[in-house]
């Protein structure tokens, strides 16, 4: 028997004033699914930089943020994934987080974040 889970997408802003990240227009901020069936979260972003890292975090009630992964975009490459049930794709203006085989315990707030690393 598959149980429902609820994933809520929250966004955070980039480091510089011109940077912005937000849920994609076709993405609801309340996302639900069933255990074992993939769930995809989408964010769109704007940045003047070609050196962008996109991060995904989750947060359980009354807990600290939990790092999930980062993915390079545009002129940045590479990734770092803490839990291999998660994967991410990026383009020049968006990022997606895929939860493969989600469990009821994955019900949480999910955050996407952008970091401009041109100064590094």
């Amino acid at each position: 028997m598959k149980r429902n889970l609820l994933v809520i997408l929250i966004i955070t802003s980039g480091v510089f004033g011109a940077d912005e990240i937000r849920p994609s227009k076709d993405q609801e901020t309340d996302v639900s699914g069933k255990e074992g069936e993939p769930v995809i979260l989408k964010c769109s972003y704007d940045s003047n930089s070609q050196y962008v890292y996109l991060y995904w975090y989750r947060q359980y009630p009354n807990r600290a943020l939990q790092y999930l992964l980062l993915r390079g975009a545009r002129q940045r490459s590479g990734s770092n994934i803490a839990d291999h049930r998660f994967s991410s794709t990026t383009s020049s203006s968006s990022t997606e987080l895929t939860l493969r085989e989600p469990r009821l315990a994955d019900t949480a707030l999910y955050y996407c974040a952008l970091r401009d690393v041109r100064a590094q």
Side-chain angles (χ1 to χ4, degrees):
M1 175 178 177
K2 294 188 178 188
R3 292 181 272 175
N4 290 333
L5 66 132
L6 175 66
V7 175
I8 300 174
L9 174 65
I10 303 293
I11 54 98
T12 59
S13 163
V15 175
F16 295 98
D19 297 337
E20 180 184 3
I21 190 163
R22 63 201 165 279
S24 294
K25 290 181 182 178
D26 63 341
Q27 175 76 63
E28 296 291 326
T29 54
D30 293 350
V31 177
S32 62
K34 295 187 182 214
E35 280 189 312
E37 296 179 5
V39 172
I40 299 173
L41 303 177
K42 302 175 188 177
C43 284
S44 298
Y45 69 92
D46 294 313
S47 177
N48 293 328
S49 177
Q50 291 299 308
Y51 305 98
V52 174
Y53 281 124
L54 299 161
Y55 295 80
W56 287 94
Y57 298 89
R58 75 174 162 195
Q59 187 174 33
Y60 294 107
N62 302 314
R63 301 287 175 118
L65 285 176
Q66 178 186 15
Y67 168 85
L68 297 175
L69 61 83
L70 80 79
R71 186 93 178 169
R74 297 182 179 174
Q75 295 294 320
R76 280 291 188 202
S77 61
S79 63
N80 182 333
I81 302 171
D83 181 336
H84 291 284
R85 291 183 310 116
F86 296 88
S87 64
S88 179
T89 58
T90 63
S91 73
S92 63
S93 62
S94 67
T95 181
E96 291 185 1
L97 176 71
T98 301
L99 290 77
R100 293 187 294 267
E101 300 182 21
R103 302 182 288 246
L104 194 57
D106 292 315
T107 299
L109 297 176
Y110 286 78
Y111 295 81
C112 56
L114 175 148
R115 181 174 171 215
D116 178 344
V117 291
R118 64 182 148 197
Q120 297 181 347

